[in-house]
Amino acid sequence: MKAGKKVIMIHVKDDLEKEEIMREIERLNLPAFIYVHGKLNSLKINIQGTKDEIREAMQKIREIQKRVHARLYANKRGFYEYTLDDIFRGAQTTVSAPILLKTLELMGEDVRFDGVKLKTSLPWGEIVELSRRMGDVLSQISLQTTRQIREVVIPVAVVYNLDPEEVLERLMEIGAVEFKEDKFKYELVKNKEQALEMIIKNLEDEGNED
């Protein structure tokens, strides 16, 4: 097919939006040749390829623009919109969706998740930093814990700013988990909802004593 060329302009609010869009475009693995030139309040994008390649590239770029705008700027209801892939790519770490959602819930954030898109009042920079902290905690306890225990320990450690080992010790003290010597792992005695309720009550009672 005959090669062609298309030039599109994308207007941006600020340098952050410009940088995020450029970073996303750089990650695209498409047959079309794409060259991006950043201007003051816009991006000039040259696309070269066949008609189909150009159409595909334009569609991907428009999707990027929409996704970046949704995660950087809150809508009228005050919600930012993210995909989990974008969050974890930005944080350069990965935790499970239940861990992220429970952490946001414990923080008092308004959260809506449909399995693909996450809507929350927490801004982009803060949710990326939060995910990094969760990833750090996960790396400390992954070898000695089950998946369900992590869904209790990580949110509590991050939200209450505690060492994850201390959270595990507290959970043992209140009878929510036990350490299996033969498996070298902590396992839940209660279900994760009960364990979470017990550790939070323990922390709040201790706070009231102070």
Side-chain angles (χ1 to χ4, degrees):
M1 292 181 70
K2 186 178 178 181
K5 180 179 177 182
K6 181 78 174 179
V7 178
I8 58 175
M9 296 289 292
I10 292 180
H11 295 283
V12 296
K13 278 191 172 185
D14 51 35
D15 286 345
L16 179 58
E17 184 178 14
K18 186 192 301 179
E19 290 164 8
E20 289 288 329
I21 290 174
M22 289 177 72
R23 191 176 293 117
E24 292 282 350
I25 290 174
E26 284 175 7
R27 292 195 186 104
L28 286 177
N29 185 19
L30 297 173
F33 173 78
I34 302 172
Y35 173 75
V36 183
H37 177 64
K39 296 194 168 188
L40 184 61
N41 296 309
S42 64
L43 290 168
K44 182 180 179 181
I45 304 172
N46 288 277
I47 308 169
Q48 295 178 26
T50 65
K51 189 175 181 180
D52 288 343
E53 289 170 353
I54 290 172
R55 185 185 299 115
E56 181 186 7
M58 287 180 64
Q59 180 183 341
K60 295 288 186 184
I61 290 167
R62 294 300 184 194
E63 287 172 0
I64 285 172
Q65 181 187 17
K66 184 177 179 181
R67 209 170 72 242
V68 168
H69 192 85
R71 76 184 184 218
L72 291 183
Y73 310 110
N75 62 21
K76 292 178 181 178
R77 294 183 176 181
F79 286 103
Y80 300 88
E81 184 177 289
Y82 310 116
T83 66
L84 297 188
D85 284 345
D86 283 346
I87 293 172
F88 298 140
R89 191 185 298 120
Q92 297 183 318
T93 191
T94 302
V95 296
S96 70
I99 289 173
L100 175 59
L101 297 174
K102 181 54 68 175
T103 304
L104 289 168
E105 183 184 314
L106 286 184
M107 291 170 64
E109 293 293 331
D110 198 343
V111 182
R112 300 171 192 184
F113 183 56
D114 62 8
V116 178
K117 292 181 179 178
L118 170 67
K119 294 182 180 180
T120 177
S121 47
L122 197 67
W124 171 246
E126 293 181 33
I127 202 165
V128 167
E129 178 56 31
L130 180 70
S131 299
R132 284 197 188 108
R133 288 167 58 200
M134 288 189 288
D136 289 342
V137 174
L138 175 61
S139 67
Q140 293 178 57
I141 64 169
S142 59
L143 295 178
Q144 69 207 69
T145 55
T146 61
R147 176 180 54 81
Q148 290 202 328
I149 285 185
R150 289 175 210 141
E151 292 180 21
V152 177
V153 175
I154 295 174
V156 170
V158 170
V159 173
Y160 290 88
N161 197 28
L162 295 171
D163 186 285
E165 295 290 346
E166 181 183 344
V167 178
L168 284 167
E169 287 173 13
R170 284 174 178 264
L171 285 166
M172 285 189 68
E173 288 170 5
I174 60 179
V177 308
E178 61 184 8
F179 187 74
K180 297 286 189 180
E181 296 284 353
D182 56 332
K183 298 179 182 178
F184 298 103
K185 280 185 183 289
Y186 291 92
E187 292 188 0
L188 286 173
V189 176
K190 307 289 185 179
N191 65 43
K192 62 186 178 185
E193 288 79 14
Q194 289 174 314
L196 191 61
E197 188 177 320
M198 289 170 71
I199 185 69
I200 289 173
K201 185 177 186 304
N202 176 264
L203 290 166
E204 288 177 349
D205 287 348
E206 185 178 282
N208 290 334
E209 288 175 7
D210 295 342

